[in-house]
């Protein structure tokens, strides 16, 4: 099946711990994105990458880090510096040169 | 950056009713998408429509790029249409980023 997978679906972490969210795509898309959604709100961009080994900060990058070592993978690390990490995290990808953006199923992160 | 406003914020419909959702944006765009977020949080692609009109079953969308708005029409609504509808645009100075509106929350009652 072609698409975007995110794991885990639910994630619980203690305060002060770093945690990494996985995002994998087999659509051969160059661009990948991470968004955060808080309850009752729209999506806000955390980081994006247009090509392997390159990425840019979005609107709310503080407390997060990413890597893009492979075209298929764009993991997001939520660090202990993120003040309010409990949220729904969505990964997306898009072919280069414009066009439609597609989303994965999301990961719900809860900080205990 | 580009601003995206959706209206109304909430909409309650009786099953079988028609409705129109609106998306206004503040700058020229080269991409506009409509999504439906289901109760499990999954974003479903409805339309990729930077300009013109498209139809898919009971849903249709129109974007008038020169006037900076897009409309999503739901006809003969069903309970499965409930959820949040998002408009998202790419354009202006931030050409590589998709900016989302706040969404319209739709509840279709049987």
């Amino acid at each position: 099946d072609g698409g975007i997978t995110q794991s885990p679906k639910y994630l619980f972490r203690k305060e002060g711990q770093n945690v990494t969210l996985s995002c994998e795509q087999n659509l051969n898309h160059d661009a990948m994105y991470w968004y955060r959604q808080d309850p009752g709100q729209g999506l806000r961009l955390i980081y994006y990458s247009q090509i392997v080994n390159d990425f840019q900060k979005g609107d709310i990058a503080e407390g997060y880090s990413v890597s893009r070592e492979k075209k298929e993978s764009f993991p997001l690390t939520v660090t202990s510096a993120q003040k309010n990490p409990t949220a729904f995290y969505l990964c997306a990808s898009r072919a280069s040169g414009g066009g439609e953006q597609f989303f994965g199923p999301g990961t719900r992160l809860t900080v205990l | 950056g580009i601003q995206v406003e959706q209206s109304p914020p909430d909409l309650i419909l009786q099953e079988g009713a028609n409705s129109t959702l609106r998306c206004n944006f503040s700058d020229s765009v080269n991409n506009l998408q409509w999504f439906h977020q289901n109760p499990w949080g999954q974003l479903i692609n409805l339309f990729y429509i930077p300009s013109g009109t498209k139809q898919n079953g009971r849903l249709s969308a129109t974007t008038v790029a020169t006037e900076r708005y897009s409309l999503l029409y739901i006809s003969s609504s069903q309970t499965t249409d409930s959820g949040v509808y998002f408009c998202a645009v790419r354009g202006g100075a931030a050409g590589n980023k998709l900016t989302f509106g706040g969404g319209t929350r739709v509840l279709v009652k049987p």
Side-chain angles (χ1 to χ4, degrees):
Chain A
D1 276 358
I4 304 169
T5 57
Q6 292 186 242
S7 61
K9 190 172 183 179
Y10 298 95
L11 188 57
F12 298 89
R13 90 155 209 219
K14 293 181 180 179
E15 278 193 38
Q17 289 181 337
N18 292 354
V19 63
T20 298
L21 282 58
S22 170
C23 177
E24 304 277 335
Q25 55 97 2
N26 62 3
L27 301 168
N28 200 33
H29 285 171
D30 288 306
M32 297 187 72
Y33 305 82
W34 274 106
Y35 292 84
R36 169 184 172 136
Q37 186 179 30
D38 292 291
Q41 304 296 314
L43 278 69
R44 293 183 291 166
L45 184 64
I46 304 172
Y47 267 99
Y48 64 104
S49 167
Q50 297 182 77
I51 196 168
V52 174
N53 293 322
D54 187 45
F55 48 83
Q56 289 80 39
K57 292 182 179 180
D59 301 317
I60 55 165
E62 185 176 352
Y64 300 97
S65 66
V66 293
S67 63
R68 186 85 187 277
E69 298 176 0
K70 298 187 300 181
K71 188 175 185 178
E72 304 79 22
S73 179
F74 190 40
L76 173 74
T77 296
V78 185
T79 75
S80 57
Q82 168 51 233
K83 299 302 181 187
N84 186 19
T86 294
F88 186 48
Y89 291 88
L90 287 151
C91 176
S93 71
R94 180 175 67 93
S96 61
E100 201 169 355
Q101 187 163 312
F102 296 90
F103 282 81
T107 293
R108 293 193 184 277
L109 172 64
T110 301
V111 174
L112 304 173
Chain B
I2 195 166
Q3 304 296 314
V4 184
E5 292 186 1
Q6 292 185 242
S7 60
D10 297 282
L11 191 58
I12 299 175
L13 301 170
Q14 205 63 41
E15 196 169 28
N18 303 329
S19 64
T20 301
L21 283 60
R22 186 176 180 99
C23 172
N24 292 333
F25 43 93
S26 62
D27 204 343
S28 59
V29 299
N30 50 41
N31 178 8
L32 188 145
Q33 292 184 241
W34 283 98
F35 298 91
H36 177 217
Q37 189 168 38
N38 66 22
W40 297 271
Q42 175 79 54
L43 278 169
I44 309 299
N45 288 39
L46 297 177
F47 293 102
Y48 169 66
I49 186 167
S51 64
T53 297
K54 290 186 177 180
Q55 182 158 4
N56 184 3
R58 295 180 297 101
L59 301 180
S60 63
T62 295
T63 297
V64 183
T66 53
E67 298 186 21
R68 300 183 182 170
Y69 73 89
S70 182
L71 302 174
L72 178 69
Y73 304 97
I74 305 174
S75 64
S76 304
S77 57
Q78 301 177 359
T79 56
T80 52
D81 294 332
S82 296
V84 184
Y85 290 80
F86 286 106
C87 167
V89 305
R90 177 178 292 109
N96 291 317
K97 301 188 292 183
L98 203 60
T99 300
F100 280 75
T104 293
R105 189 174 303 272
V106 174
L107 176 63
V108 182
K109 294 185 172 182

